[in-house]
Amino acid sequence: HFDYSFFSSNAYAITGPNGSGKSTLLQFIAGALMPTEGKVSYYNGSDTAVEQYFPLISIAAPYLETVEEMTANEFFRFHLAFKPLMPDLSIPKILERVGLQDAAEKQIRYYSSGMKQRIKLAQAFFSDTPVVLLDEPTTNLDASGISLYHDMIREYCNERLVIVSSNDTLEYSFCKSVIDMKTLKG
């Protein structure tokens, strides 16, 4: 029973206790899940189906898997078949930006959990999409990874719609609007 409008060039946080529906809501917005009642509408002059908006949305979440048998270079070349990168970015530049240039030819299966999270964030931040969805974005990151996350928010998200699902204010302190899922359950 959630009725809300998100607007481009704004940042929103979705908070609430475990099991309150934060991640589920993000997956509905992303089009990864379809609601059993109600609907998600995308408006760009007229209502449009989620299938047409998929190319405009990027998401990073701890439960989304990477292709573990691929190297980082292969993973991003594969990703390019679905979504373009932001202008003036190349795969080597992206890997350098997230500190993974020395592991570019290493299979992702051998990455630490923090390295895998950096790959997921890079995929979301550096895809040329107007919408970025982040579910618990600093999961498994050390202090330098968390600092990198905040730098990327500042550098790459000013003109984008950003929705962060989290209970950690460190992850969403830049958001102007906070939606508390527990108040919606009442």
Side-chain angles (χ1 to χ4, degrees):
H1 303 285
F2 180 72
D3 185 8
Y4 201 85
S5 295
F6 297 96
F7 296 94
S8 50
S9 299
N10 287 293
Y12 302 85
I14 301 169
T15 66
N18 292 345
S20 64
K22 298 181 302 290
S23 296
T24 302
L25 177 60
L26 220 57
Q27 290 181 61
F28 287 151
I29 294 167
L33 292 175
M34 293 296 138
T36 54
E37 64 179 61
K39 68 178 185 166
V40 176
S41 296
Y42 303 87
Y43 189 78
N44 190 14
S46 63
D47 279 340
T48 306
V50 67
E51 296 82 21
Q52 294 174 308
Y53 267 79
F54 171 78
L56 305 176
I57 298 171
S58 58
I59 184 171
Y63 48 81
L64 296 177
E65 297 298 325
T66 56
V67 183
E68 301 264 316
E69 293 76 23
M70 290 183 174
T71 66
N73 280 324
E74 292 169 336
F75 179 75
F76 280 106
R77 283 195 301 269
F78 177 71
H79 180 69
L80 280 170
F82 304 98
K83 294 183 184 173
L85 298 176
M86 294 180 83
D88 301 323
L89 284 177
S90 64
I91 295 170
K93 283 182 182 177
I94 289 170
L95 293 175
E96 182 177 346
R97 181 66 181 96
V98 296
L100 295 174
Q101 67 276 8
D102 293 339
E105 291 302 325
K106 184 178 177 180
Q107 283 186 336
I108 295 171
R109 77 170 80 214
Y110 299 114
Y111 281 19
S112 70
S113 58
M115 292 168 75
K116 289 177 183 178
Q117 185 65 9
R118 286 173 182 247
I119 286 281
K120 293 173 188 181
L121 289 173
Q123 175 191 311
F125 279 110
F126 300 126
S127 292
D128 192 11
T129 62
V131 179
V132 178
L133 306 176
L134 303 167
D135 196 351
E136 299 180 355
T138 63
T139 297
N140 299 318
L141 293 181
D142 58 16
S144 70
I146 293 169
S147 178
L148 171 68
Y149 164 74
H150 286 286
D151 290 346
M152 291 191 304
I153 288 287
R154 278 190 298 279
E155 292 173 39
Y156 301 104
C157 291
N158 291 326
E159 303 299 317
R160 299 162 102 176
L161 167 59
V162 178
I163 305 173
V164 180
S165 170
S166 175
N167 284 320
D168 185 347
T169 55
L170 185 66
E171 294 180 327
Y172 67 84
S173 60
F174 63 93
C175 295
K176 302 292 186 237
S177 300
V178 177
I179 301 155
D180 187 347
M181 295 297 283
K182 75 178 173 198
T183 63
L184 302 175
K185 300 287 184 185

